[in-house]
């Protein structure tokens, strides 16, 4: 769990070309879901490519606490012996989800329709984040939640003994909320319907169908309507987790702004609900190509090739693209600082309730390094200085947020002077091999 240990101050020095192959770890969203759905299936699910970051390891621990057998094998693969839908045991201890909003929200959903109680907590970042967005719909199933003021963790969920299915229109564009409702719907009799106005990442729908649940998705005038038939017997699966596009974003963006770079990031999932950053970078004029495009496990996959791109221009990022790149705005803002002109990012209110307030965190760090940023409640604009013109030399606070820490490390690579963060320890939540991987490409990262 991040934020519980000693802070790790880190500095990124301007560096020469980045080159080579960047094999980034498995997808965080899919890894959480593989463990949770595996725990709700009957029999053994085998998983390769699981992200072994702190967030996912906390979810593995939680699934054990609910009665599933979760094992890491010597070859790095994992197996989950599930207890079946409705088969969760009541945990004996508090469930600590560390830094992970996805972990806690999905697990709350998964247990909310079983006649058990569980108490959830997390680190200082997670315990500040809003949970009512999940507990409101879970109450419709008959679950009760008692937490701190403002619906914050620590929080106890008393699962519904006699759950009823629900029809729920998700009020914020959030795959976590959608997924919590679908997972709760698994143990409710009849059909649970979730409606989302804007499409968010659809891994839960795809994986539920893969595990044998009856799930349909329709695009209607109301939005995307997802219908799940409750009480299925989920069948164990063999899952190969694709590499995470949100982690790929860091070596890709680093290559674009570091002189002479040419980096290949193989095997990246390009599910359209996740790939918005790469479209945006190409619109800005990035030399980013998709090689060896293919389909793996039903998902579009390609090798990304990113080369130094000295002529990128600021653009207005279409707000309707926000959900498909929501975790990538911090590192996009670093590229924007290296582009010519203003990059305007609107429709991004959700950035304010991530592991940190990501608009505030990035704006502070960018300004500390000589970049002008304007911001409003749901938008921000970065005034690009042009390639290699970011002064750097500043120290940024990471606010217990892995993506903030990594974004500023990327900024240092193409800046005029080193860029530091007060605490790089949260990087281990999603990208535990970030330092050796970036170092292997030629980055100069240093722990103080
Ligand atoms: C995730 C959904 C997104 C994203 C998070 C992972 C998921 O959060 O930011 O990193 O796996 O469902 P929201 O659902 O809050 O948008």
């Amino acid at each position: 769990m991040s934020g519980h240990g000693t802070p790790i101050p880190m500095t990124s020095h301007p560096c020469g070309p980045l080159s080579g192959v960047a094999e980034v770890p498995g997808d965080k969203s899919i890894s959480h879901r593989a463990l949770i759905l595996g725990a709700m299936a009957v029999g053994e699910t085998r998983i390769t490519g699981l992200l072994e970051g702190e967030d996912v390891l906390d979810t593995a621990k939680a699934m054990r606490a609910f009665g599933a057998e979760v094992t890491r094998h010597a070859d790095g693969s994992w197996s989950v012996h599930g207890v079946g839908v409705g088969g969760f045991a009541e945990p004996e201890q508090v469930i600590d989800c560390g830094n992970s909003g996805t972990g806690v929200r999905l697990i709350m959903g998964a247990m909310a329709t079983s006649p058990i109680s569980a108490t959830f907590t997390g680190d200082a970042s997670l315990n500040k984040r809003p949970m009512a967005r999940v507990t409101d719909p879970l109450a419709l199933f008959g679950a009760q939640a008692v937490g701190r003021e403002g619906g914050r963790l620590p929080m106890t969920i008393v699962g519904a003994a006699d759950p009823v299915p629900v029809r729920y229109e998700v009020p914020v564009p959030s795959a976590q909320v959608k997924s919590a409702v679908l997972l709760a719907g698994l143990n409710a009799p009849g059909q649970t319907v979730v409606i989302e106005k804007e499409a968010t990442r659809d891994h839960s729908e795809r994986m539920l169908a893969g595990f044998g649940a009856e799930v349909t998705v329709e695009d209607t005038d109301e939005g995307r309507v997802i219908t799940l038939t409750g009480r299925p017997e989920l069948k164990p699966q063999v899952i190969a987790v694709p590499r995470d596009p949100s982690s790929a974003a860091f070596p890709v963006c680093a290559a674009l702004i570091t002189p002479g770079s040419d980096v290949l990031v193989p095997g990246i999932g390009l599910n359209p609900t996740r790939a918005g950053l790469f479209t945006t970078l190409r619109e800005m004029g990035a030399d980013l190509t998709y090689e060896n495009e293919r389909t793996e496990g039903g998902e579009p996959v390609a090798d990304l090739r990113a080369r130094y791109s000295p002529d990128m221009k600021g653009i207005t990022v279409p707000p309707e693209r926000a959900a498909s790149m929501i975790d990538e705005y911090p590192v996009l803002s670093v590229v924007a600082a290296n582009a010519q002109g203003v990059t305007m990012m609107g429709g991004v209110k959700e950035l304010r309730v991530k592991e940190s307030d990501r608009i505030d965190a990035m704006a502070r760090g960018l300004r500390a390094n000589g970049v002008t940023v304007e911001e409003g409640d749901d938008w921000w604009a970065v005034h690009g200085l042009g390639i290699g013109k970011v002064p750097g030399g500043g120290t940024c606070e990471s606010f217990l947020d892995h993506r903030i820490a990594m974004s500023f490390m990327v900024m240092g690579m193409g800046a005029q002077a080193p860029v530091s963060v007060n605490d790089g320890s949260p990087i281990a939540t999603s990208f535990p091999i970030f330092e050796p991987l970036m170092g292997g490409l030629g980055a100069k990262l240093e722990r103080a």
Side-chain angles (χ1 to χ4, degrees):
M1 289 157 286
S2 70
H4 294 191
T6 318
I8 303 175
M10 285 173 63
T11 298
S12 172
H13 296 267
C15 58
L18 299 176
S19 65
V21 178
E23 295 198 328
V24 304
D27 190 283
K28 181 152 73 70
S29 295
I30 295 175
S31 294
H32 282 294
R33 287 160 173 81
L35 290 171
I36 296 169
L37 287 171
M40 298 177 88
V42 178
E44 184 188 5
T45 287
R46 292 290 295 221
I47 309 168
T48 53
L50 188 85
L51 166 63
E52 295 181 343
E54 290 171 357
D55 278 11
V56 174
L57 298 179
D58 284 332
T59 289
K61 246 188 258 162
M63 290 302 100
R64 288 189 190 112
F66 281 100
E69 213 179 284
V70 184
T71 314
R72 183 188 194 275
H73 301 284
D75 64 358
S77 69
W78 288 68
S79 59
V80 183
H81 280 269
V83 294
V85 168
F88 277 161
E90 186 167 80
E92 287 172 13
Q93 305 289 340
V94 171
I95 303 294
D96 190 338
C97 289
N99 192 249
S100 181
T102 306
V104 75
R105 291 179 175 137
L106 267 54
I107 297 168
M108 280 179 174
M111 59 74 58
T113 45
S114 290
I116 54 172
S117 298
T119 301
F120 296 89
T121 192
D123 70 4
S125 156
L126 188 57
N127 287 1
K128 278 190 212 148
R129 298 180 66 185
M131 294 298 144
R133 53 177 54 202
V134 171
T135 55
D136 286 353
L138 296 184
L140 303 175
F141 286 98
Q144 288 170 285
V146 184
R148 287 191 308 132
E149 183 271 322
R152 319 274 153 173
L153 302 180
M155 176 176 277
T156 298
I157 305 284
V158 181
D162 206 1
V164 290
V166 311
R167 182 182 174 86
Y168 190 68
E169 191 172 320
V170 185
V172 284
S174 167
Q176 292 174 359
V177 176
K178 168 178 68 177
S179 303
V181 177
L182 289 172
L183 290 170
L186 279 175
N187 199 34
Q191 292 194 323
T192 285
V193 180
V194 187
I195 302 148
E196 57 177 5
K197 282 189 223 93
E198 295 168 51
T200 62
R201 67 192 66 196
D202 62 357
H203 307 302
S204 295
E205 297 91 301
R206 288 177 189 243
M207 291 177 76
L208 278 164
F211 273 87
E214 206 179 306
V215 67
T216 60
V217 181
E218 277 174 284
D219 284 312
T220 71
D221 293 343
E222 276 183 291
R224 270 182 94 239
V225 179
I226 305 145
T227 306
L228 171 78
T229 304
R231 306 252 162 105
E233 181 172 310
L234 297 183
K235 299 191 181 46
Q237 296 300 298
V238 176
I239 299 172
V241 179
R243 298 181 196 277
D244 198 326
S246 297
S247 295
F250 296 102
V252 163
C253 290
L256 300 180
I257 64 165
T258 306
S261 296
D262 185 349
V263 170
L264 188 73
V265 192
I268 299 303
L270 290 178
N271 178 321
T273 64
R274 294 290 299 282
L277 171 74
F278 306 124
T279 307
T280 301
L281 292 171
R282 280 152 56 123
E283 285 174 7
M284 293 172 80
D287 186 350
L288 172 63
T289 50
Y290 300 163
E291 298 184 352
N292 193 14
E293 287 183 62
R294 56 207 186 264
T295 304
E296 279 177 16
E299 299 266 354
V301 167
D303 304 336
L304 305 183
R305 183 154 190 189
R307 296 182 180 92
Y308 179 53
S309 300
D311 297 319
M312 291 183 288
K313 307 257 181 311
I315 63 164
T316 294
V317 183
E320 62 276 13
R321 194 180 289 160
S324 70
M325 52 180 288
I326 195 67
D327 290 332
E328 284 68 73
Y329 283 94
V331 75
L332 173 65
S333 71
V334 169
V335 174
N338 282 275
Q340 308 249 349
V342 176
T343 293
M344 171 70 194
M345 298 165 280
V348 291
K349 203 171 184 176
E350 280 295 299
L351 289 180
R352 298 217 177 261
V353 290
K354 296 293 178 186
E355 286 83 331
S356 67
D357 175 340
R358 286 182 169 161
I359 297 178
D360 180 64
M362 288 308 299
R364 284 170 192 254
L366 285 161
R367 288 177 189 135
N369 285 280
V371 181
T372 300
V373 182
E374 293 173 85
E375 62 178 293
D377 189 33
D378 72 341
W379 64 273
W380 52 319
V382 173
H383 290 250
L385 294 165
I387 198 81
K389 299 277 170 48
V390 172
T395 297
C396 315
E397 201 170 330
S398 61
F399 296 100
L400 288 182
D401 188 330
H402 52 134
R403 301 204 195 279
I404 301 300
M406 288 187 278
S407 297
F408 286 125
M409 290 296 91
V410 168
M411 189 158 87
M413 297 172 203
Q416 293 174 343
V419 173
S420 300
V421 290
N422 68 325
D423 183 13
S425 68
I427 293 171
T429 62
S430 71
F431 202 156
I433 59 166
F434 179 76
E435 287 167 86
L437 182 142
M438 294 307 302
L441 298 175
K444 291 189 191 144
L445 303 178
E446 178 188 60
R447 292 185 177 204

